[in-house]
Structure formats: structure tokens, C-alpha cells
Amino acid sequence: MPAAMHRLDPAYIRALARRVFGDPAKAGAWLRRPSVQLGGRAPLAVLGSEDGLRRVAELLTQIDDDDRLKID
């Protein structure tokens, strides 16, 4: 099992979303918006389970990676 740099919890997810979106309001809006990748549920709605936390963290990481790879 790989060593984790942090423990996934809702506070970490909220902080990660703020970092990825660069704005607390945008992060909050994303966390409340239903997501196709989460079966139509909002990210906040799935943070009660380890699987939900992991899936939301993966989505945020993917968004962050996609943003960094954009060529202007």
C-alpha cells in the first residue's frame, strides 16, 4: 500500500478545491454542482465515504492536471 501524504477527509477536499479553482466561491460552486462522474451527485454529497472522498480527490487532481497542461 503506498504511503499517503495526507489523510483524505472533507476538510482536505475543500482545501484542495480552493487551491485548484483559486477562488473559494468557485470551489464551493463546483462542490455543490452535480457531477456526471459521480452519478449525478454533487461532490459534497459523496464526502461521507472513503470511496467518495477518493473519487472527488481524483476529479480535482484531474482538473488541476488538465489546467496545467493547457497551452496558451
Side-chain angles (χ1 to χ4, degrees):
M1 185 168 155
M5 290 176 23
H6 51 77
R7 183 181 176 290
L8 286 180
D9 62 37
Y12 170 78
I13 296 297
R14 287 182 182 96
L16 179 59
R18 285 190 300 272
R19 185 183 66 74
V20 168
F21 291 102
D23 178 295
K26 288 179 183 178
W30 184 85
L31 288 166
R32 290 186 300 276
R33 185 177 308 121
S35 170
V36 172
Q37 294 91 339
L38 298 172
R41 294 174 292 170
L44 283 177
V46 301
L47 296 183
S49 72
E50 287 294 320
D51 183 57
L53 288 163
R54 180 187 53 76
R55 291 175 67 196
V56 173
E58 288 172 356
L59 284 173
L60 286 166
T61 300
Q62 182 178 9
I63 290 166
D64 195 33
D65 288 347
D66 289 349
D67 284 348
R68 281 188 281 153
L69 292 175
K70 285 183 183 172
I71 298 173
D72 294 323

